[in-house]
Amino acid sequence: MPSDERDPTDSLERRVASLESVVRALTDELARLRSDRRGLSDPESGAPVEHPTGRPSASPHPMAPRSPLAVAPEERTWLPAQLDVESLVGRYGTLLLATISALAAVGMFLNWAIAKGYLGPSQRIALGLITAAALGVAGLRLHGRERSFGASLLGLALAITHVCAWGAGPLLKLIPPWGAFVLAALASIALAVFAHAEDDEPLWSVGFSGAAIAPFVTASGRSNLLLLAAYGVAVLASAGYAMGARRWVVAGRLFLLAAMMYTLALATGHEIDFGPPLAMAFPLAVALTGVVPWIGGWPRRERLRALGALTALAALRTGMGIGHPLDETTVASLIAAAGIVWLVLVDRTHAVAEPVPSPYRHLHEGDWLDAAVLPLAFTAATVAALDASAHGSGLAMAAAAAILLVSMMRYPQGSLRDAAVFATVISALVAVLLLLKGRESELLATIAVLSAAGFAANLKWRSISWTTLGLIGLAWAVLASLAQLSTRTPYEYAPFLTEESAVAAVVLASILTAMRLTPADAKLDTVLRGAAMAWAFLWVHQELALAVNPTVGMLLRVTYYAATSVTAVALGRARQVPVLRHVGLGLAVVAAGTALYGARNLESIGARIGADLVAAVFLLAIAYWYRRPGSGRMPRAATAPQSQL
């Protein structure tokens, strides 16, 4: 074969061989990455094999380069990814049953010893502390070799220490309550530091669970709620430090569950002991000491949101209380302060990107919870606590609207600002309703002005909430003003000189102002222009239709229809707007019908003749325009080329 024919074939074979080697290398790399993610496994149980030091074995190729095909790591948990029933029972079930059996044996022994009089209160506490110390030493010694089992023993030791501390303090009164608090807090902090250093979620979970439930398993009768709240903050703050920003799913749920448990216990406590106010302050204290200092990014936003919801619920419970030892103003001030703290937390922590892609999120319910639902809940709780008159509650709502407006100014454009604007407008609206209660005309005019002010605010702080709520407010103002105009006594008012006329003028001015504040190319501008023309026509119609007496009212109405029809046709022809011309023709027909049929009931023959003549004159004017050469279809006639004769 000639060389010029072999060269392309050889080149193609070399390229195919090179491609095969690249595909083989990528396949091997992908298989290695999959084995790295699964880790080394026990061939019998499928559980990860532990290093002799107690830590998981490293990758067999620690220096291998990372492949661009590697996927994002999964959320880290302390439960194995693949765990069969045998491993579940053998690794966890037996440990749980052993712990329960051991506690049952100790409990039966203590009951027997107490019944026989062998153990007094101090001996019981001493025996419990000795047991806790023995378990702690054993856990520390085993933690290097058997990490999971040693962590469980350490957690059990902490739980027993907490039970002993609370038993010696609030239950048996062997030491002052503050002494029990100090002992329990020190034990919790020590274990939290250890778990943080060891990066051990099972140790954290077992120890935290025991520390969190200790006050509830040792409580009897009426407890010290202030001490309980302080203890809970100490435990959750130390636990938050130990957990930090680690993506521990189980630990995070236990953390929030414990916060909910303490908040519920305080909220249901006696009001005379400041239970509800402590329940309101507790989640905020946990947020400031156990979340904000130790974690950042989206996980912090999630935990703060849960704690904020607990705070708002506790605030509502506080606002509805009737047995507080504090006066209403003080309670309302405490609730308002809690709301302001929450707004500050949102302001300082909102600047974080949400991990979910935006195409899959449309409602942004988290932002609306942060900046709308929870602030409105604090506002409602404050007003409920005041138990004041409508005027006093209105002032409180106005103050809330001002505070929410300031917070809104600091938010970037987006769903968070939309939510803050919504809360601000709703608070302002409720304030107006309360402050102007019983003064219908002033209320209607104020709502119209506030709606137009929303369009002005939209120029500075862009938000769809401004325009949406503004349109709703203007629509309500139009309907309410129309109802006011319709309820006046017929033929007993002077047109355009009543209080209702002034309110209608304010509504029209508000619509025109909103229209001027809207870009001319926006769809909203078309809606507002149509609303302004429609309302102007309805307002004048209501002023003229029932004015002076039936005869004058009929003549004025026919004249108004006819004049408006001519004006609409003229504007439509001049600006080449077909809609205006169609409206004008429709009004001309209505004017003729009113003159021919509506005037039949008039007693004065002169009024009938006058109505018919007015309609005829304006109809002739319109007919003249349309019968002029080249005036039949304005948009096309204006642009049609002239025929060449």
Side-chain angles (χ1 to χ4, degrees):
M1 180 179 292
S3 59
D4 57 348
E5 295 182 3
R6 288 198 307 269
D7 290 343
T9 304
D10 294 341
S11 176
L12 180 61
E13 291 177 352
R14 286 195 300 272
R15 292 180 181 179
V16 171
S18 175
L19 181 60
E20 289 178 350
S21 63
V22 171
V23 172
R24 191 179 302 108
L26 289 176
T27 304
D28 295 340
E29 178 70 10
L30 184 59
R32 185 188 65 78
L33 290 173
R34 289 176 177 172
S35 63
D36 289 348
R37 289 181 58 192
R38 289 194 299 266
L40 297 178
S41 302
D42 188 343
E44 296 182 0
S45 63
V49 177
E50 295 187 350
H51 193 270
T53 60
R55 299 184 181 276
S57 300
S59 171
H61 305 286
M63 300 302 294
R66 301 292 295 177
S67 170
L69 298 178
V71 298
E74 298 177 354
E75 291 185 345
R76 180 180 178 184
T77 63
W78 51 272
L79 292 175
Q82 297 178 351
L83 189 67
D84 55 14
V85 177
E86 180 183 356
S87 298
L88 180 64
V89 175
R91 291 170 62 87
Y92 301 100
T94 54
L95 177 61
L96 177 62
L97 293 176
T99 303
I100 295 176
S101 300
L103 291 177
V106 173
M108 286 188 289
F109 169 74
L110 291 177
N111 289 334
W112 173 80
I114 293 171
K116 294 294 185 179
Y118 298 149
L119 292 177
S122 58
Q123 289 81 5
R124 299 177 218 168
I125 299 300
L127 184 61
L129 291 176
I130 292 173
T131 304
L135 290 174
V137 172
L140 287 174
R141 293 179 64 86
L142 291 174
H143 195 263
R145 300 190 304 273
E146 300 288 341
R147 184 181 180 89
S148 178
F149 188 74
S152 300
L153 292 181
L154 285 171
L156 184 60
L158 175 66
I160 295 176
T161 302
H162 280 281
V163 172
C164 292
W166 280 89
L171 184 61
L172 300 176
K173 303 295 190 297
L174 296 178
I175 59 176
W178 63 266
F181 165 71
V182 171
L183 175 61
L186 289 177
S188 298
I189 294 173
L191 188 65
V193 173
F194 185 71
H196 179 80
E198 294 294 315
D199 192 13
D200 195 332
E201 186 179 8
L203 177 61
W204 186 99
S205 300
V206 177
F208 172 75
S209 300
I213 66 174
F216 302 98
V217 300
T218 59
S220 64
R222 187 169 176 176
S223 58
N224 189 327
L225 296 181
L226 180 60
L227 183 61
L228 177 66
Y231 170 80
V233 171
V235 170
L236 288 169
S238 59
Y241 160 75
M243 183 167 49
R246 298 180 177 92
R247 297 298 293 171
W248 289 352
V249 177
V250 176
R253 293 172 181 172
L254 289 175
F255 182 86
L256 296 178
L257 181 62
M260 182 174 63
M261 180 175 61
Y262 276 88
T263 303
L264 179 62
L266 293 170
T268 56
H270 295 282
E271 293 180 353
I272 195 66
D273 294 331
F274 303 97
L278 287 173
M280 181 178 60
F282 179 82
L284 291 178
V286 172
L288 293 173
T289 59
V291 176
V292 174
W294 317 120
I295 184 174
W298 188 254
R300 177 174 65 180
R301 185 74 254 126
E302 289 180 320
R303 295 179 194 172
L304 288 179
R305 185 169 294 145
L307 294 172
L310 292 176
T311 306
L313 292 175
L316 291 172
R317 165 66 181 91
T318 304
M320 293 185 294
I322 57 176
H324 294 298
L326 304 173
D327 59 89
E328 291 84 357
T329 304
T330 303
V331 174
S333 300
L334 292 175
I335 297 174
I340 293 175
V341 171
W342 170 249
L343 291 177
V344 172
L345 284 175
V346 174
D347 178 75
R348 306 296 293 179
T349 61
H350 75 272
V352 56
E354 189 171 2
V356 181
S358 57
Y360 299 95
R361 295 295 298 274
H362 302 287
L363 296 179
H364 299 281
E365 62 276 3
D367 290 339
W368 280 81
L369 183 68
D370 290 342
V373 177
L374 297 185
L376 288 176
F378 285 113
T379 302
T382 303
V383 174
L386 283 174
D387 193 21
S389 62
H391 184 77
S393 299
L395 292 177
M397 293 299 298
I403 295 174
L404 291 172
L405 180 63
V406 173
S407 67
M408 179 277 303
M409 295 176 182
R410 298 181 54 85
Y411 297 149
Q413 184 175 353
S415 57
L416 194 69
R417 180 187 289 178
D418 294 339
V421 170
F422 177 83
T424 302
V425 174
I426 293 299
S427 298
L429 178 61
V430 174
V432 170
L433 292 174
L434 293 174
L435 292 174
L436 299 179
K437 183 179 180 181
R439 293 179 283 178
E440 184 178 356
S441 297
E442 297 179 27
L443 173 63
L444 201 161
T446 304
I447 291 178
V449 172
L450 284 178
S451 301
F455 286 86
N458 186 55
L459 297 178
K460 177 66 175 177
W461 304 283
R462 291 286 183 181
S463 172
I464 193 174
S465 294
W466 287 122
T467 54
T468 301
L469 295 176
L471 280 178
I472 295 174
L474 290 175
W476 180 88
V478 166
L479 295 177
S481 181
L482 182 61
Q484 269 195 337
L485 294 173
S486 302
T487 56
R488 293 179 297 182
T489 304
Y491 311 118
E492 294 185 6
Y493 62 86
F496 304 104
L497 297 178
T498 62
E499 181 179 310
E500 292 79 6
S501 303
V503 173
V506 172
V507 173
L508 180 59
S510 300
I511 297 175
L512 293 174
T513 302
M515 184 181 68
R516 294 295 301 271
L517 296 173
T518 303
D521 57 344
K523 293 182 179 179
L524 189 59
D525 178 70
T526 304
V527 174
L528 290 172
R529 287 180 182 276
M533 289 187 292
W535 174 239
F537 176 80
L538 288 175
W539 171 34
V540 177
H541 173 272
Q542 290 301 114
E543 294 288 348
L544 300 178
L546 302 176
V548 186
N549 56 59
T551 300
V552 174
M554 176 60 69
L555 290 174
L556 290 176
R557 186 167 42 169
V558 172
T559 304
Y560 177 58
Y561 289 160
T564 305
S565 67
V566 172
T567 304
V569 171
L571 289 175
R573 288 167 55 83
R575 300 187 179 184
Q576 299 185 4
V577 180
V579 175
L580 286 178
R581 299 200 310 273
H582 299 162
V583 171
L585 289 175
L587 289 175
V589 174
V590 172
T594 303
L596 294 174
Y597 297 99
R600 290 183 304 170
N601 298 324
L602 296 179
E603 297 180 357
S604 174
I605 187 64
R608 299 179 191 178
I609 297 173
D612 292 336
L613 288 177
V614 168
V617 169
F618 285 102
L619 287 171
L620 286 174
I622 295 176
Y624 172 75
W625 279 339
Y626 273 89
R627 294 182 66 82
R628 291 179 61 188
S631 302
R633 302 176 68 179
M634 285 300 300
R636 295 185 181 180
T639 58
Q642 296 180 357
S643 60
Q644 300 294 329
L645 297 178

